[in-house]
Amino acid sequence: MAAINVGRIQVTRDPDRCDIPYYVAEFVEREVGTDLNCLRKLGKLIEELSENKKQLEEQVLTVSSEVPRRIQNALKNAEDSKKSLNQLLKEENVLSDSINSHLLTAQPWMEDLGVLISQIEEVERHLAYLKWISQIEELSDNIQQYLMTNNVPEAANTLTSMAELDIKLQESSCSHLLTFVRSTVKFWHKILKDKLSSDFEEILTHLHWPFVGPPQSQVFGLAAPANVPEIYNNLETLFSQLLKLQTSDELLTKPKQLPEKYSLPPSPPIILPMQIMLNPLQKRFKYHFTGNRQTNVLSKPEWYLTQVLLWIGNHAKFLDDKIQPILDKTGSSVNARLEFSRALVMLILEKLAADIPCVLYDDNLFCHLVDEVLLFERELYATHGYLNSFPSCMHILSEETCFQRWLTVERKFALQRMDSILSSEAAWVSQYKDITDVDEMKVPDCAETFTTLLQVITDRYKNLPTASRKLQFLELQKDLVDDFRIRLTQVMKEETRASLAFRYCAILNAVNYIATVLADWADNVFFLELQQAALEVCADSNALSKLQLGQLACMESSVFDDMINLLERLKHDMLTRQVDHVFREVKDAAKLYKKERWLSLPSQAEQAVMSLSSTACPLLLTLRDRLLQLEQELCYSLFKIFWQMLAEKVDMFIYQEVILANHFNEGGAAQLQFDMTRNLFPLFSHYCKRPENYFKHIKEACIILNLNVGSALLLKDALHSASENGTILDPNQPSATAVLHELGVYKLAQQDVEILLNLRTNWPNIGK
């Protein structure tokens, strides 16, 4: 075992080769170890190793005999595959030669066949061409036969089919065929249109169309009442037949279009029967409102605008009662009244496009034209149900040159109006001053007139067709608000020395009212839509930071935020100036009160009745007078902010300048509490239920100063113990904060209470 152990210690493994001695030593160590009793296993171990050796030798012999046989089989398979591949290559060469030979032989046949196929295709094209011509001629013959038998409805249907063929052939390169189809359609369309139009106009004449008076005065001029059904039947028949010519009419007639600079929305042509009904009105319009007629005056746009509105109103009942049922019966989606209005509005648009360049640089004429157009639009949409998707006068006013001029004139007249507003004698007087319920905001006339001006501007541009134009007007409004704010600031600076005077208060009310109105407008749907449009514009131009874009997107801010913030800042500055002014008066009035001999005043028991300190009277009178004055001059919301700010200042002043600056005996503390709780606090009880909550320093100081001696000693000991223990918490002893809360002291800190306790002079000798 010693030898083995020595061998085990000396034998080391070489990692670069198969080290048999190492494995043997390791095996012996694992199987035998240092236990001498294990030597008995050696015989059995040797037998097992011999058996394993024998098995390994047999496996080696088996493998060495099988490997050559497998290799031979693999080589044989490879040889067979090589032979097969060579055979396939030979067959491929033979087949390739055969194909090439066949292609050479078939080449002449292919060339001849290609020529024949080309000829066949040419013949097929000719045949198709002839079929189209034949089909068109057949339709043309049918139309002729229908007309000969006076079957106009079928002729109109056939013409519609021919027009549809024309539409199908639009992409064809056969120019002569297209010309033939178009000329045929044009030929028959003219014949049918002339025939139907003539009959239709005759029916309209019987009906005394167009109507020049209101619906109740319209007389159709019928020869006899018995003819009424027949005339309306003919009207329906002719209207329906003319409607069938719509497809061919759209092919042949190009509607008159205004220049692209007006950006009119796409709209379908006016239906053919409506065009015929409108012809006499269009002639009248052009007769009266073009050329050198006395009715064509640049300074009187209301003449032609009013005339069109009258025509729409006069014909509305007839269109709804007689024409709309015909359209519904034919399955058309056209609204008769809107179609009629749309056609007449196009006359207005053409007229405006011609007139605006003539009045563009005359402020009065241009402004008058815009005013009349806006009134016309309002009436058109409100009374006659005109749709926003149709071309309107606002598209003409939105043209770049005209729009910029409109903005300029709008700004000019708005500034002039603002000048007149502020220079008016009644600028700072509320027109509702004698009506209490209405005058809660105490709005001066200048502020109300200015917000009305802004609202009028909004009404003028809210129907503009594009958001970009509306945003430009919004910027104008914001500029006007800022200009008005600057003017108010200038007037306010002139009144700074009299910050409690009526005019100064009126300016403050005006600032508050405008800020309130803008905040209300910010939640209006119209301005929310503009906010979304502004967000998209800013996102495209990267004009705002991601934070600002996020605030706009989640509606945390509004389009008026900048203006509101500036107005709020001005309001706060003005209120602060008023509070400071009143507070200076209060301090002056409190000089004697500060010097009161609090140390030697008689106790409450020594007085029959407690009364107000004589030195407090000037202070309280000043407060009362100023509160009453500003309550009358300021609106409720402003006055509330004012008295709360003033109360905070008075609270700190009395606490610091009166209480902390003096020592108090029992009578002095009681007198202070009486002055405050029975006289100062009630001054503010008109404005809130618990005024003492706005004087927490005074209230809590009075509590401490008026504690009876025993409670004061206990409080002093508790605070002293809390100071000595510091952060060490004693579960059996309440904290200083808890003790103060029990007394009703929440605002003052522990150190403040200790100072107040030291201001008391009514301590027993042992307590000192």
Side-chain angles (χ1 to χ4, degrees):
M1 287 302 298
I4 292 173
N5 192 35
V6 171
R8 180 177 61 80
I9 295 172
Q10 293 177 347
V11 174
T12 58
R13 181 181 178 187
D14 186 353
D16 296 331
R17 62 190 180 86
C18 182
D19 198 344
I20 294 178
Y22 173 79
Y23 286 112
V24 171
E26 186 180 17
F27 177 76
V28 172
E29 176 67 19
R30 185 175 66 252
E31 296 294 334
V32 179
T34 58
D35 189 359
L36 297 177
N37 294 327
C38 291
L39 293 176
R40 298 173 183 174
K41 299 180 182 179
L42 289 177
K44 185 178 179 181
L45 190 61
I46 291 172
E47 290 178 2
E48 290 178 357
L49 293 174
S50 299
E51 183 65 26
N52 289 339
K53 177 184 177 185
K54 183 177 179 181
Q55 291 177 357
L56 290 172
E57 288 176 348
E58 290 176 355
Q59 289 178 3
V60 169
L61 291 174
T62 302
V63 170
S64 62
S65 62
E66 288 181 354
V67 167
R69 185 164 58 251
R70 291 180 180 176
I71 292 173
Q72 289 175 359
N73 291 336
L75 290 173
K76 184 179 179 182
N77 291 335
E79 289 293 333
D80 292 343
S81 299
K82 183 178 179 181
K83 290 178 181 179
S84 299
L85 180 60
N86 290 332
Q87 182 64 29
L88 289 173
L89 289 173
K90 290 178 181 178
E91 292 177 358
E92 187 269 338
N93 289 332
V94 172
L95 184 60
S96 177
D97 293 340
S98 174
I99 291 172
N100 290 332
S101 175
H102 179 74
L103 289 174
L104 289 173
T105 304
Q107 184 64 33
W109 301 345
M110 291 175 62
E111 293 175 355
D112 295 341
L113 187 60
V115 172
L116 291 174
I117 291 173
S118 298
Q119 292 174 352
I120 292 171
E121 291 176 348
E122 183 71 20
V123 170
E124 287 180 343
R125 284 197 297 271
H126 291 166
L127 182 59
Y129 195 92
L130 292 173
K131 284 183 178 179
W132 279 106
I133 293 175
S134 174
Q135 189 174 359
I136 294 164
E137 289 181 340
E138 181 181 354
L139 291 173
S140 180
D141 292 341
N142 290 340
I143 293 174
Q144 184 176 10
Q145 291 177 5
Y146 289 138
L147 289 178
M148 290 175 65
T149 58
N150 202 28
N151 191 350
V152 178
E154 288 300 324
N157 290 335
T158 308
L159 180 59
T160 302
S161 301
M162 188 184 294
E164 291 172 352
L165 287 181
D166 190 335
I167 295 172
K168 289 180 181 179
L169 288 170
Q170 290 302 308
E171 297 181 0
S172 173
S173 59
C174 301
S175 58
H176 296 293
L177 178 61
L178 290 174
T179 303
F180 173 68
V181 176
R182 182 60 57 85
S183 61
T184 306
V185 171
K186 185 176 182 180
F187 174 78
W188 289 117
H189 177 79
K190 185 177 185 307
I191 292 175
L192 283 171
K193 182 179 178 181
D194 290 346
K195 176 177 175 55
L196 292 173
S197 298
S198 176
D199 295 342
F200 191 58
E201 288 171 354
E202 185 178 350
I203 292 295
L204 293 175
T205 302
H206 284 300
L207 296 173
H208 280 189
W209 179 274
F211 309 137
V212 294
Q216 60 269 20
S217 65
Q218 294 166 11
V219 179
F220 298 151
L222 300 176
N227 290 342
V228 173
E230 180 183 352
I231 288 179
Y232 280 125
N233 286 336
N234 292 337
L235 175 70
E236 179 179 348
T237 301
L238 292 169
F239 192 97
S240 302
Q241 292 172 358
L242 282 167
L243 200 58
K244 293 178 181 178
L245 302 184
Q246 185 67 27
T247 305
S248 57
D249 192 68
E250 291 178 10
L251 277 176
L252 301 172
T253 307
K254 291 185 178 180
K256 187 176 181 180
Q257 297 286 345
L258 288 171
E260 292 183 1
K261 65 179 181 178
Y262 295 113
S263 303
L264 296 180
S267 57
I270 304 298
I271 56 174
L272 182 57
M274 193 65 73
Q275 292 179 30
I276 298 170
M277 296 174 71
L278 285 161
N279 280 336
L281 294 176
Q282 291 171 340
K283 289 178 182 178
R284 291 187 182 203
F285 187 91
K286 292 178 180 178
Y287 176 83
H288 288 291
F289 304 117
T290 58
N292 297 322
R293 301 290 174 185
Q294 293 181 353
T295 48
N296 183 31
V297 184
L298 290 175
S299 61
K300 297 292 183 181
E302 60 269 27
W303 286 355
Y304 60 82
L305 294 171
T306 304
Q307 185 61 69
V308 166
L309 288 175
L310 286 174
W311 284 342
I312 294 174
N314 291 344
H315 296 86
K317 179 174 175 57
F318 178 80
L319 293 170
D320 288 340
D321 295 346
K322 304 302 179 183
I323 303 301
Q324 190 60 50
I326 302 173
L327 289 168
D328 295 340
K329 190 178 293 186
T330 59
S332 174
S333 60
V334 174
N335 183 291
R337 189 197 298 190
L338 290 179
E339 192 78 351
F340 185 80
S341 301
R342 183 164 66 93
L344 291 178
V345 167
M346 288 305 299
L347 292 175
I348 297 289
L349 302 190
E350 294 171 9
K351 176 66 175 171
L352 287 175
D355 282 0
I356 285 177
C358 302
V359 301
L360 198 59
Y361 298 102
D362 186 318
D363 288 351
N364 292 325
L365 288 180
F366 181 76
C367 190
H368 178 61
L369 173 64
V370 171
D371 290 342
E372 291 299 330
V373 166
L374 293 175
L375 290 173
F376 170 79
E377 287 273 302
R378 187 181 307 168
E379 179 75 11
L380 186 65
Y381 284 98
T383 304
H384 303 294
Y386 199 71
L387 300 183
N388 290 324
S389 57
F390 288 169
S392 71
C393 301
M394 301 305 284
H395 290 92
I396 305 299
L397 295 181
S398 296
E399 187 270 326
E400 182 64 25
T401 305
C402 177
F403 184 76
Q404 293 304 325
R405 183 61 182 160
W406 184 13
L407 275 178
T408 303
V409 172
E410 201 77 35
R411 184 187 301 273
K412 174 185 175 181
F413 282 101
L415 292 174
Q416 290 177 358
R417 180 63 177 147
M418 286 163 57
D419 290 336
S420 66
I421 290 171
L422 291 174
S423 60
S424 169
E425 293 182 359
W428 307 109
V429 179
S430 172
Q431 57 181 317
Y432 308 111
K433 63 179 180 178
D434 298 326
I435 309 175
T436 307
D437 295 340
V438 180
D439 197 35
E440 290 183 358
M441 294 288 287
K442 294 182 170 61
V443 187
D445 187 62
C446 64
E448 186 163 10
T449 307
F450 176 69
T451 52
T452 303
L453 173 65
L454 293 179
Q455 183 60 58
V456 169
I457 293 175
T458 301
D459 293 338
R460 288 162 72 84
Y461 78 82
K462 69 188 305 181
N463 289 323
L464 282 169
T466 61
S468 61
R469 296 302 193 202
K470 294 176 185 177
L471 288 174
Q472 288 178 268
F473 257 102
L474 177 63
E475 289 302 316
L476 168 62
Q477 287 180 301
K478 291 164 71 174
D479 291 344
L480 293 177
V481 172
D482 196 46
D483 187 272
F484 196 73
R485 178 189 63 83
I486 293 171
R487 295 178 188 224
L488 290 178
T489 305
Q490 292 171 346
V491 179
M492 178 271 292
K493 289 180 178 178
E494 297 173 1
E495 303 291 328
T496 301
R497 292 184 179 179
S499 58
L500 302 183
F502 167 76
R503 193 169 184 180
Y504 190 93
C505 293
I507 297 169
L508 184 51
N509 286 328
V511 172
N512 179 67
Y513 178 70
I514 295 171
T516 303
V517 169
L518 292 180
D520 290 341
W521 286 358
D523 296 328
N524 184 282
V525 174
F526 174 72
F527 289 108
L528 290 175
E529 291 173 349
L530 283 189
Q531 180 176 341
Q532 181 62 31
L535 174 66
E536 295 172 0
V537 172
C538 293
D540 293 339
S541 61
N542 296 321
L544 295 177
S545 66
K546 291 184 178 179
L547 175 61
Q548 291 171 315
L549 288 174
Q551 290 174 337
L552 277 174
C554 64
M555 302 300 177
E556 288 183 6
S557 60
S558 71
V559 291
F560 294 114
D561 267 9
D562 294 340
M563 297 299 100
I564 293 173
N565 291 337
L566 290 172
L567 290 168
E568 289 291 336
R569 188 183 307 169
L570 176 59
K571 180 177 80 173
H572 182 266
D573 291 345
M574 294 181 71
L575 275 172
T576 302
R577 190 172 284 111
Q578 285 188 322
V579 171
D580 290 343
H581 183 97
V582 174
F583 183 60
R584 283 195 299 270
E585 293 183 351
V586 169
K587 288 198 296 184
D588 290 339
K591 287 180 180 178
L592 294 177
Y593 194 63
K594 288 165 58 178
K595 298 177 181 179
E596 183 72 58
R597 300 184 65 184
W598 304 103
L599 191 60
S600 58
L601 291 178
S603 66
Q604 189 172 359
E606 297 173 0
Q607 301 181 57
V609 178
M610 290 287 291
S611 61
L612 174 67
S613 300
S614 60
T615 54
C617 290
L619 163 68
L620 297 176
L621 285 173
T622 301
L623 274 174
R624 184 201 66 181
D625 293 344
R626 291 310 186 191
L627 287 171
L628 289 175
Q629 175 189 350
L630 291 172
E631 184 182 16
Q632 294 297 319
E633 302 293 349
L634 296 178
C635 70
Y636 173 78
S637 60
L638 286 176
F639 180 68
K640 182 179 180 181
I641 299 171
F642 167 81
W643 73 255
Q644 289 178 357
M645 292 172 64
L646 180 61
E648 182 181 357
K649 281 183 167 290
V650 171
D651 180 42
M652 289 303 300
F653 169 72
I654 293 178
Y655 176 71
Q656 293 175 349
E657 301 292 330
V658 177
I659 298 175
L660 295 183
N662 290 282
H663 286 76
F664 296 84
N665 65 358
E666 182 182 354
Q671 184 64 50
L672 175 70
Q673 186 173 32
F674 181 83
D675 292 344
M676 297 297 105
T677 58
R678 301 292 296 275
N679 294 279
L680 175 64
F681 297 171
L683 282 179
F684 293 84
S685 62
H686 298 288
Y687 318 122
C688 62
K689 292 182 178 180
R690 301 182 64 85
E692 63 273 13
N693 290 338
Y694 294 92
F695 298 91
K696 290 183 178 178
H697 290 89
I698 296 175
K699 182 183 76 170
E700 294 179 4
C702 288
I703 291 173
I704 300 300
L705 293 175
N706 284 277
L707 285 175
N708 60 50
V709 176
S711 299
L713 286 171
L714 291 174
L715 175 60
K716 196 170 187 179
D717 290 342
L719 297 179
H720 182 68
S721 300
S723 299
E724 288 182 349
N725 293 335
T727 57
I728 301 174
L729 298 177
D730 186 354
N732 297 322
Q733 186 173 359
S735 65
T737 303
V739 172
L740 293 175
H741 286 180
E742 285 183 10
L743 295 173
V745 177
Y746 297 91
K747 182 75 173 179
L748 299 178
Q750 178 181 342
Q751 295 81 358
D752 299 328
V753 174
E754 290 174 352
I755 293 171
L756 289 170
L757 289 172
N758 290 329
L759 296 178
R760 293 171 57 112
T761 60
N762 57 330
W763 297 107
N765 292 332
I766 58 171
K768 297 181 180 179

